[in-house]
Amino acid sequence: MGRGRAKAKQTKVARDLKYRTPDTDFNTLQRELHGESGDPIPEQYRDVDREDPAAS
C-alpha cells in the first residue's frame, strides 16, 4: 500500500517528458560538446591532469 501516490507522480513526470516541447539551443549545445565555448579554464583547474583515471 502507499504506492499509488508515487506511481501517479511517476506517470505525471513521464507524460511531461513525453509531450513537452523543450526549447533547446542546438548550436550552443554543439559548441559546448565540441569544446568551442570560448570560456577560459579557471586558474584553479589548469593544472588538473586530464587523463582518464579509469585507464590506469
Side-chain angles (χ1 to χ4, degrees):
M1 291 185 97
R3 171 122 166 77
R5 189 175 291 186
K7 186 172 183 344
K9 174 74 174 179
Q10 289 174 350
T11 302
K12 179 182 176 187
V13 170
R15 245 187 228 124
D16 184 42
L17 291 172
K18 182 176 181 181
Y19 295 112
R20 181 181 47 159
T21 55
D23 297 329
T24 304
D25 184 358
F26 291 106
N27 292 326
T28 303
L29 179 61
Q30 183 179 15
R31 283 194 306 271
E32 182 178 332
L33 291 175
H34 290 294
E36 302 171 8
S37 65
D39 296 334
I41 299 172
E43 283 291 326
Q44 62 188 12
Y45 298 118
R46 289 185 189 203
D47 61 346
V48 175
D49 187 12
R50 294 187 179 245
E51 288 185 24
D52 184 15
S56 300

